Amino acid sequence: MLIVQKFHSIHEIDQEFIPSLEILLQEDAPSFDTLKEKQDSAPPDVVFTYFLFFGPTQNTPIGFAQLALRTIPGKDLIPWWKRFFFFWRKDYLNWKQLTWKVGDGHSGLFVFDPRYARSGREKIQELIKEYESRLEIKSQEIFHIKGLQDSKSSWTPTSVLEKERFVLEPMVKSVKTYQEYLGSLNPDTQDFIKRSWRDMHVKNQVELGDYPNPKETPTTFPVDEKLIQRWEKLGAQILTFEKDLKVLGCLVVLKGKNGNIFFEPFPFEPHQQEQIVPDELYTQYALIKFFEMPEARKCHLLKFGSKLIFEEKEDLKFFQEQHFQFKTLSYQFTSQLPQLTHPL
């Protein structure tokens, strides 16, 4: 039997649990601080609850889940003449939408130690049913990894919205060097990448920069000082593309737990003109650095601090050719209000 402990702010979670949670979430976030930032940057009307799960003989968490409650603008959904009948009760003022997801949802519904996956899934289903029984809960979103976290609602909703998305998973290091990795790709992909490198270096005279501390970047680095300070706090390393003392773009490198390395590209070139540094070279520069790190095991690519997500499977093809994996994320929105057919 699993024991559940609730926290209504991520900042309330005991410091002693953080190392164990970072191990649980090692493939989902570079550090626990990045999850704190997501709560702190959320809209003010969103209220979070975090669930830590413990085994019967353990005092360290073996599972993690999260939900968010948001007030439904019931007054806007009810015609004025119906609001007259609700005058004394005004139940609609307390209507809530519930969202079940870890972080941005790319990790699905929960994260558990694999040894507790079955009992954890059953416990989560109990929690979902408990919240569905509350009268103020009128709609809910559930993110789950297809085939692993599938969840059924106990509701008979008036509207349902379902769709699948594809989340880019990490590339696992299977060879020792970047040169070996490049040689493992199919000939067309190899030629394309080599030609891109050659054009950038020889034709466009772009140089690569590597700065262990964000504060060591050039004075021409076009990033706000507050962002520099944030990256420094997170222990980031900065990789740059530079030409004529100008920084054309960068990669932020965050080292997670157990060899999980996270790379996020930031192109600075104007989008309306031809790019000197093509998108594929941001991935390749990340991989060069990845293979240089002896401790690195898995290479993760991020965008806006989250894993890359695609609406169409075909869009994953080029990443798959570079040995990145993917998983299918199922999304379901259900509502008990006929007027509310889409999430807030």
Side-chain angles (χ1 to χ4, degrees), residues 212-274:
N213 189 310
K215 288 194 172 181
E216 297 173 358
T217 51
T219 55
T220 56
F221 192 49
V223 172
D224 185 85
E225 181 62 27
K226 289 184 179 179
L227 189 53
I228 294 285
Q229 292 174 359
R230 173 177 169 268
W231 287 342
E232 183 185 32
K233 183 180 177 182
L234 293 172
Q237 178 179 354
I238 307 297
L239 309 177
T240 60
F241 295 94
E242 301 177 24
K243 178 180 173 63
D244 300 329
L245 301 179
K246 184 178 181 181
V247 180
L248 302 176
C250 78
L251 283 152
V252 175
V253 186
L254 296 170
K255 296 180 181 180
K257 300 294 182 181
N258 293 330
N260 287 279
I261 313 297
F262 297 79
F263 298 87
E264 181 167 4
F266 288 83
F268 301 139
E269 297 181 74
H271 295 292
Q272 62 269 24
Q273 67 185 40
E274 185 178 356

Side-chain angles (χ1 to χ4, degrees), residues 11 104 109 149 153 243 309 318:
H11 298 287
D104 290 321
L109 185 54
Q149 302 177 343
S153 172
K243 178 180 173 63
I309 192 163
F318 188 62

Side-chain angles (χ1 to χ4, degrees), residues 32-71:
F32 202 68
D33 285 341
T34 58
L35 290 180
K36 290 179 179 178
E37 287 186 345
K38 292 185 187 302
Q39 176 184 297
D40 294 342
S41 61
D45 64 330
V46 178
V47 178
F48 292 91
T49 299
Y50 300 90
F51 302 90
L52 270 58
F53 301 84
F54 299 83
T57 60
Q58 292 175 303
N59 60 359
T60 57
I62 50 84
F64 178 81
Q66 166 192 322
L67 68 80
L69 283 173
R70 192 167 188 169
T71 300

Side-chain angles (χ1 to χ4, degrees), residues 143-272:
F143 294 72
H144 61 261
I145 300 171
K146 187 177 181 181
L148 295 175
Q149 302 177 343
D150 302 272
S151 175
K152 293 183 179 180
S153 172
S154 60
W155 280 358
T156 304
T158 59
S159 62
V160 178
L161 175 64
E162 295 180 302
K163 56 185 174 181
E164 290 185 350
R165 294 171 177 168
F166 305 96
V167 179
L168 189 70
E169 286 287 87
M171 191 203 75
V172 179
K173 185 185 284 187
S174 58
V175 295
K176 292 183 178 180
T177 67
Y178 177 71
Q179 287 71 25
E180 290 179 271
Y181 159 74
L182 206 56
S184 71
L185 304 179
N186 69 61
D188 289 342
T189 304
Q190 281 188 57
D191 290 342
F192 177 73
I193 292 171
K194 289 177 179 178
R195 189 168 58 252
S196 297
W197 276 126
R198 186 170 56 250
D199 288 346
M200 191 194 75
H201 280 306
V202 179
K203 179 181 175 182
N204 293 312
Q205 299 292 301
V206 175
E207 297 181 351
L208 302 180
D210 186 343
Y211 304 92
N213 189 310
K215 288 194 172 181
E216 297 173 358
T217 51
T219 55
T220 56
F221 192 49
V223 172
D224 185 85
E225 181 62 27
K226 289 184 179 179
L227 189 53
I228 294 285
Q229 292 174 359
R230 173 177 169 268
W231 287 342
E232 183 185 32
K233 183 180 177 182
L234 293 172
Q237 178 179 354
I238 307 297
L239 309 177
T240 60
F241 295 94
E242 301 177 24
K243 178 180 173 63
D244 300 329
L245 301 179
K246 184 178 181 181
V247 180
L248 302 176
C250 78
L251 283 152
V252 175
V253 186
L254 296 170
K255 296 180 181 180
K257 300 294 182 181
N258 293 330
N260 287 279
I261 313 297
F262 297 79
F263 298 87
E264 181 167 4
F266 288 83
F268 301 139
E269 297 181 74
H271 295 292
Q272 62 269 24

Side-chain angles (χ1 to χ4, degrees), residues 20 35 63 69 78-79 105 175 212 237 272 285 303 311-312 330:
S20 298
L35 290 180
L69 283 173
I78 299 176
V175 295
Q237 178 179 354
Q272 62 269 24
Y285 193 9
K303 185 175 183 180
E311 300 292 336
E312 302 295 333
S330 295

Side-chain angles (χ1 to χ4, degrees), residues 311-334:
E311 300 292 336
E312 302 295 333
K313 204 171 187 177
E314 182 66 22
D315 295 336
L316 284 162
K317 185 177 179 181
F318 188 62
F319 289 101
Q320 287 180 275
E321 290 173 348
Q322 297 176 74
H323 300 337
F324 283 88
Q325 306 297 314
F326 77 94
K327 65 186 176 187
T328 303
L329 187 71
S330 295
Y331 169 82
Q332 184 183 71
F333 169 77
T334 53

